[in-house]
Amino acid sequence: MSDDTLETLKARIADLERQVSALQVENAALKERLGEADNERLAANQLLFEQVPIALCIFRTDGLVVSTNAAGEAMFGVSRHILLGRANAVTDPSAAATGTPRVFEEVRRGNAVTLPAYTYDVKGTLPDAEGRERVVWYESTYFPLRQPDGTLSHVGAITHDVTAHVERQQQLEASRQEILAAEKELAAQRETITALSSPVIQVWEGILTMPLIGVIDAQRAARITQDLLQAIVRDRSGCVILDITGVATVDAQVATYLLSAARACRLLGCEVALVGVGTNVAQTIVRLGVDLSEIITRANLQAGIAWAFERSGFRVVSRGFAEEP
């Protein structure tokens, strides 16, 4: 090999060494910049974790609290130096009572789980914690935290204070229960009023009367018919007097109800007389063309009772009545 060739190789090697040295310097500078970027990113992440206005907690997979932010500290009302490394969401009785053991099992399987609204007694877990003056309701979402290689290392949790929502729901439920109780009481009162406004009264053996008061609708008409039929069977009655003096309005529908009741009574062998038909009611019935020919009518209750006595085989006298010979 000639001297010229050797010198050329030496120069080439020196040039390559300079290039390698430059690359090493550039690589070192790049690593420094990347390190600074990583540090900045980590610092920003730490700022975000600490200052985000949402309660964040990090647990070991066995449930031990290892980190929480300022919002979490404020929400639970306990200092971090008391909480961290002591509170365990899986084994502490107060925390476990909320259902966290099951939640951590799901998270260890890789699932995110939202725990329904719950209360947590911090002082029950940490006797030296400050505790709360009132009941606070929380809602937490637990999720897996993985290393870059996919290994589960920790469990994260986001917690919201849902006390206002829960209290509103409790107030709504209490109001609903009050309304249900009021409706039940109103129904009972209505039942009592209905019974009192259409009582079945035994005037004499085999003779019943039912004074009707107020408005008669389909539901009440069914009740009237049912009560009459039961009383007829129970007392073996042959006469019923329906007194409509206290009925505010008699229209075609009400007349139909009365006719239906009379027909049902007649099927049991009991005759029905309608009394208390006033002038206005009579004019209304005529105007509507309602046919009440199937029902015996009398002017008033006294006349109706006289009819029932006569039909039962009694004769009315001035100071009493006597059975027909």
Side-chain angles (χ1 to χ4, degrees):
M1 180 180 295
S2 66
D3 293 338
D4 291 339
T5 303
L6 182 59
E7 290 298 325
T8 301
L9 287 175
K10 289 180 178 180
R12 178 61 178 165
I13 291 172
D15 183 57
L16 289 174
E17 287 176 346
R18 286 193 297 271
Q19 292 181 20
V20 169
S21 179
L23 289 173
Q24 289 175 340
V25 171
E26 184 178 352
N27 185 49
L30 180 60
K31 285 183 177 181
E32 183 178 356
R33 288 197 299 271
L34 289 175
E36 291 175 352
D38 285 341
N39 291 335
E40 183 179 3
R41 177 175 57 82
L42 291 174
N45 289 343
Q46 182 61 34
L47 289 175
L48 175 65
F49 177 80
E50 180 61 24
Q51 299 181 29
V52 66
I54 299 174
L56 300 175
C57 289
I58 298 177
F59 304 83
R60 288 194 330 206
T61 55
D62 62 1
L64 188 69
V65 179
V66 296
S67 182
T68 186
N69 63 354
E73 185 179 32
M75 178 173 291
F76 287 98
V78 57
S79 300
R80 270 177 276 193
H81 73 275
I82 297 176
L83 183 67
L84 302 183
R86 296 178 60 193
N88 190 303
V90 175
T91 61
D92 291 337
S94 296
T98 67
T100 49
R102 174 187 55 81
V103 170
F104 269 71
E105 287 180 6
E106 285 296 318
V107 174
R108 284 193 287 265
R109 295 189 185 102
N111 302 317
V113 180
T114 297
L115 192 65
Y118 63 93
T119 58
Y120 174 58
D121 181 11
V122 177
K123 290 188 70 63
T125 298
L126 305 170
D128 53 346
E130 296 88 338
R132 288 285 192 178
E133 292 291 333
R134 65 186 182 93
V135 174
V136 180
W137 289 86
Y138 307 100
E139 184 179 83
S140 297
T141 298
Y142 294 83
F143 52 92
L145 296 176
R146 300 183 182 279
Q147 297 295 333
D149 62 359
T151 304
L152 176 68
S153 61
H154 294 85
V155 173
I158 300 173
T159 301
H160 301 278
D161 185 336
V162 293
T163 304
H165 174 73
V166 171
E167 289 178 346
R168 185 165 57 252
Q169 292 298 318
Q170 290 174 339
Q171 291 170 357
L172 290 174
E173 178 61 21
S175 298
R176 190 181 73 87
Q177 293 298 329
E178 289 177 1
I179 291 173
L180 291 176
E183 289 178 346
K184 186 176 180 179
E185 182 179 357
L186 183 61
Q189 292 176 351
R190 188 181 295 115
E191 187 76 11
T192 301
I193 292 172
T194 300
L196 292 175
S197 61
S198 54
V200 181
I201 303 170
Q202 186 176 28
V203 176
W204 200 261
E205 184 178 350
I207 301 175
L208 301 175
T209 182
M210 174 181 277
L212 302 177
I213 302 172
V215 178
I216 301 177
D217 56 15
Q219 183 177 359
R220 189 179 174 200
R223 174 64 182 272
I224 289 171
T225 302
Q226 178 182 358
D227 291 348
L228 276 175
L229 296 180
Q230 290 177 348
I232 290 170
V233 173
R234 182 186 66 241
D235 300 331
R236 298 180 182 179
S237 301
C239 298
V240 170
I241 304 168
L242 291 178
D243 187 354
I244 63 170
T245 305
V247 177
T249 303
V250 176
D251 54 17
Q253 192 172 34
V254 173
T256 300
Y257 294 151
L258 296 174
L259 284 172
S260 298
R263 290 167 183 160
C265 293
R266 194 174 295 119
L267 289 174
L268 295 179
C270 184
E271 197 64 44
V272 177
L274 185 66
V275 304
V277 180
T279 303
N280 293 335
V281 173
Q283 291 176 349
T284 300
I285 291 175
V286 171
R287 185 174 65 254
L288 294 174
V290 178
D291 184 10
L292 294 179
S293 60
E294 296 183 41
I295 303 179
I296 298 168
T297 57
R298 292 293 184 270
N300 51 43
L301 182 58
Q302 181 179 357
I305 292 175
W307 161 82
F309 282 156
E310 292 173 1
R311 189 177 184 281
S312 300
F314 298 99
R315 58 185 177 86
V316 179
V317 297
S318 58
R319 299 184 62 181
F321 60 88
E323 189 173 356
E324 292 288 352

